Amino acid sequence: MAEVNKQAIQDYATRLGDDAVVIGHRVSEWCSKGPFLEEDLALQNVALDFIGRARMFYSYAAELANDGRKEDDFAYMRDHREYQNLLLMELPRGDFAYTMVRQLLVDVFNLYYLEQLQQSSDETLSAIAGKAIKETRYHLRRSSEWVLRLGLGTEESKKRAQTALDDLWGFTHEMFDLDALEQQLADAGIGVDNTSLQAAWTTQVKSILEEATLIPPEDEWKVKGGREGYHTEFLGQMLNEMQCVHRANPGLEW
Amino acid sequence: MALDQEQNFQAKIDAEDKIEPKDWMPEAYRKNLIRQISQHAHSEVIGMQPEGNWITRAPSLRRKAVLLAKVQDEGGHGLYLYSTAETLGITREEMINALQDGSAKYASIFNYPAQTWADVGAIGWLVDGAAIVNQVSLQRTSYGPYSRSMVRICKEESFHQRQGYELMLTLCRGSEAQKAMAQDALNRFYWPSLMMFGPHDSESAHSASSMKWKIKRETNDYLRQKFIDQTAPQIEFLGLEHPDKNLIWNEERGHFEGSELDWDEFKRVIHGDGHCNRQRVQHHIKAHEEGAWVREALVRYKQKKKLKAA
Ligand SMILES: [Fe+2]
Ligand SMILES: [Fe+2]
């Protein structure tokens, strides 16, 4: 029983690492392409936080695996079919509105998610959540402020923000699903019960959207599959790029 | 009156006092500083591109984080230097326009392509290294705000240099392929790094007045020699071949002596024949144009908020 749990926690930490590294990578693609220098640097800050978060989750997964693998083996030596990040994280960076609206959706989710993960009976997961939640509060201040600016700014910015929201909304539903692994860990007081986050997430997101005069899309459109490794075409391309140097000469120190 | 002011100004400089934004200064001094500081700021910002191009391919998460932080620092230096230049009565917008229309320059080293992962190490080690040698001397520059920004920036640059060198060291202690990659990067970046100090003193267009006003504190050739001397043992420690086959130690002078640089190539690259000249500026323009609607939205939002508050 204890062994089964260890594997489950390892898998759980790995997928949380996947979420963080994938969204971190997407945000890092903004480097030198931001709308102005201050914002360029702020985006890099956010990317850095997510990469740091991925390293903590993967290191923990490696520690649990105890088979000689290290954090980079999790990030660089697994194929996109093995990655279990939420689809929302892997979508291309798009324009600035797309990035910021996605950040809002992700940040509000992370806020409630990490609050619960902090209560985990697993000390390491709880500690990672404790560190990450501070960053997430800062991320959310930024993304919610930006969504307001875009929604209330010019006609063009509002249109772009609304388009982004329409294109992203269908990918938010899988954030609140619970598969067998997550159910098992939630029952054991180790993992988060995602289903319990949906009401608070919806309320908060909708209230920010309302203030920004953006219209929440209808809920009919739902795309799912990230936790099963059933990804969009974009993740494979992203990982090809991310992993190319590491894999060209495998097994080396960098 | 003007003569008194000018004498007063030079007396201050001679006494090693700093010139502050509100002090009287000759127009040529102001212009010279604006040219130098804005060029420095542009170099930091354009310099984000060659290394930034490797963030998505960094071969470990640790390296990815270190590189992100480094490129972020460079952008921060750019911001800081733009504000420094603004104390001289020019706006950031004007400076950016000058960069984009080609009337302002940035360090020509960034016209060379960052082709492999080892280039990230070579740039940190050699390019930041050369920048530090120059900037340490500029900590004593006569214009107060510039001098203070150099003190602050140098601390971060030496951090970058150590990280770049450590990256090279890791490659040199790795596989044959990694070491070959490091050697190749050194071979390509060594010479352009030496050229970062500018032409020989006898050829330098801005040197004389810059020295008299203590905007510059050391000559191009003196600083270049310092860099050659510090780099030679570092190359040896890495176990790499020195790119300059003619390099010898001159016991009498206490300096290394090497080949004459290919100044024709230097001029060709400055004047547009580098691999990346157009790419760098176009990249900057593209990001700037794509961000226009965001900046407009921000302005509009602030206006609306003000109206509401009033
Ligand atoms: Fe810098
Ligand atoms: Fe630097």
Side-chain angles (χ1 to χ4, degrees), chain B residues 44 74 77 153 157:
Chain B
E44 302 280 1
E74 305 301 6
H77 298 166
I153 287 172
E157 298 295 11

Side-chain angles (χ1 to χ4, degrees), chain A residues 177-228:
Chain A
D177 286 347
L178 211 56
D179 69 3
L181 171 75
E182 288 161 332
Q183 184 72 61
Q184 181 196 348
L185 290 169
D187 291 345
I190 294 167
V192 175
D193 178 359
N194 296 26
T195 56
S196 73
L197 310 176
Q198 187 156 21
W201 180 88
T202 307
T203 308
Q204 185 166 352
V205 166
K206 286 192 174 170
S207 106
I208 294 165
L209 294 178
E210 193 184 338
E211 201 185 336
T213 66
L214 298 171
I215 301 157
E218 298 297 328
D219 278 335
E220 282 119 48
W221 173 50
K222 295 180 175 136
V223 192
K224 297 181 177 189
R227 295 297 190 217
E228 297 159 36

Side-chain angles (χ1 to χ4, degrees), chain A residues 2-14 56-75 78 122 124:
Chain A
E3 276 307 300
V4 173
N5 260 339
K6 212 172 137 188
Q7 180 67 49
I9 299 170
Q10 180 197 319
D11 293 345
Y12 188 65
T14 304
M56 291 190 284
F57 281 125
Y58 284 148
S59 295
Y60 187 40
E63 185 191 319
L64 292 168
N66 195 25
D67 56 8
R69 280 186 296 165
K70 294 184 192 140
E71 60 179 43
D72 287 335
D73 295 303
F74 286 81
R78 288 161 56 245
D122 183 291
T124 309

Side-chain angles (χ1 to χ4, degrees), chain B residues 189-227:
Chain B
F189 275 94
Y190 180 72
W191 304 103
S193 304
L194 298 190
M195 293 175 188
M196 282 174 68
F197 296 96
H200 285 309
D201 300 330
S202 49
E203 314 269 318
S204 178
H206 305 287
S207 267
S209 58
S210 292
M211 294 295 280
K212 178 179 144 222
W213 284 329
K214 297 187 181 172
I215 293 175
K216 275 181 77 138
R217 300 307 308 254
E218 308 286 359
T219 68
N220 295 353
D221 288 326
Y222 171 85
L223 294 169
R224 183 169 17 247
Q225 182 67 60
K226 215 172 145 188
F227 181 69

Side-chain angles (χ1 to χ4, degrees), chain A residues 91-110:
Chain A
L91 302 170
R93 72 180 170 100
D95 66 5
F96 188 75
Y98 192 87
T99 283
M100 273 309 155
V101 171
R102 173 183 24 205
Q103 291 311 120
L104 174 72
L105 304 174
V106 168
D107 293 340
V108 175
F109 173 74
N110 279 340

